[in-house]
Amino acid sequence: MTTFTTATTAPPPLTVRSFLLGAGGDLDTPLRAHGTAGPLLGPVRGRTPAADRAVEHELATVIDDFLSLDMLDLVADGWRRYAALRDAARRTRDTPGSEEVVALATHRVTSVHRPYVDVFVDSVKIGTLEVELTAVFWISGLVCVIRDAHLTGVRSGECGIDASLAVQGVTLTEQRGGRLDLPGAFALRAPVPLLRDEPGPRQAPTVPGVGTR
């Protein structure tokens, strides 16, 4: 008798890049279309179209590294600020092995990131490229499982996503009405710590020879 084992391959995470640019998308084209680098390169002498394209490509590469952020991480980071989840996390921390199920009302999580890129030519700084990523998550019917101060699962919930990427105040790309499968995504991920910015409960000091046998 021959036994066959079928391996289950987890789907890739939904990154900011895949949501905003799609499969195979890049930032070179929108950066060039909006002339984003032009004002920065204006004072540079001896510019050529080929040099401008090279600079735009390098800028796109730097910004693209930032787009590897996972959408699930962004929304989970917002949940760390919710009092109901943090209270449940403290109770399960104080009672090891306990578990709580918390239902949250319909809510919105907004995640805004503003990295920047300093641009140098011949070791001289000629300007700064300001980047702004905004992601808004619209969540309803969310039921969270909390264990040992961690968000360990999501039993139900619907999540819509709107996101945009702007450079120098100009929106390069945006997508609205996306969806994130919260229960399916959390089933594939490690627990999320909810109290990582909060010290654990103080333990009573021990005195050698007291209370021990």
Side-chain angles (χ1 to χ4, degrees), residues 38 55 66 68 70 73 80 83 106 121 148 170 205-206:
V55 172
F66 173 69
S68 62
D70 189 335
D73 289 339
R80 290 189 179 97
T106 298
V121 174
D148 296 329
V170 177
T206 58

Side-chain angles (χ1 to χ4, degrees), residues 115-136:
Y116 62 89
V117 181
D118 289 332
V119 181
F120 291 80
V121 174
D122 294 331
S123 301
V124 177
K125 181 180 175 180
I126 62 172
T128 299
L129 204 67
E130 304 286 347
V131 182
E132 180 173 299
L133 167 69
T134 302
V136 181

Side-chain angles (χ1 to χ4, degrees), residues 10 46 57 75 80 127 203:
H57 176 71
V75 69
R80 290 189 179 97
Q203 294 183 348

Side-chain angles (χ1 to χ4, degrees), residues 7-148:
T8 301
T9 303
L14 178 63
T15 63
V16 173
R17 181 189 300 107
S18 60
F19 181 71
L20 284 176
L21 301 177
D26 62 69
L27 286 173
D28 292 68
T29 300
L31 275 173
R32 190 173 304 119
H34 289 87
T36 309
L40 289 178
L41 300 175
V44 179
R45 295 180 179 179
R47 290 172 54 200
T48 65
D52 285 2
R53 289 194 296 271
V55 172
E56 288 167 346
H57 176 71
E58 290 304 317
L59 292 174
T61 300
V62 172
I63 298 171
D64 186 71
D65 288 341
F66 173 69
L67 300 185
S68 62
L69 290 170
D70 189 335
M71 285 291 194
L72 187 61
D73 289 339
L74 296 184
V75 69
D77 190 61
W79 286 334
R80 290 189 179 97
R81 298 190 293 270
Y82 273 79
L85 295 183
R86 292 176 66 86
D87 289 345
R90 294 187 189 97
R91 289 191 294 269
T92 60
R93 178 194 61 191
D94 297 340
T95 308
S98 64
E99 179 180 284
E100 291 197 20
V101 177
V102 180
L104 294 183
T106 298
H107 61 284
R108 180 180 69 183
V109 172
T110 301
S111 180
V112 180
H113 301 262
R114 296 186 178 92
Y116 62 89
V117 181
D118 289 332
V119 181
F120 291 80
V121 174
D122 294 331
S123 301
V124 177
K125 181 180 175 180
I126 62 172
T128 299
L129 204 67
E130 304 286 347
V131 182
E132 180 173 299
L133 167 69
T134 302
V136 181
F137 302 89
W138 308 88
I139 303 163
S140 61
L142 185 69
V143 177
C144 300
V145 182
I146 315 297
R147 185 180 181 86
D148 296 329

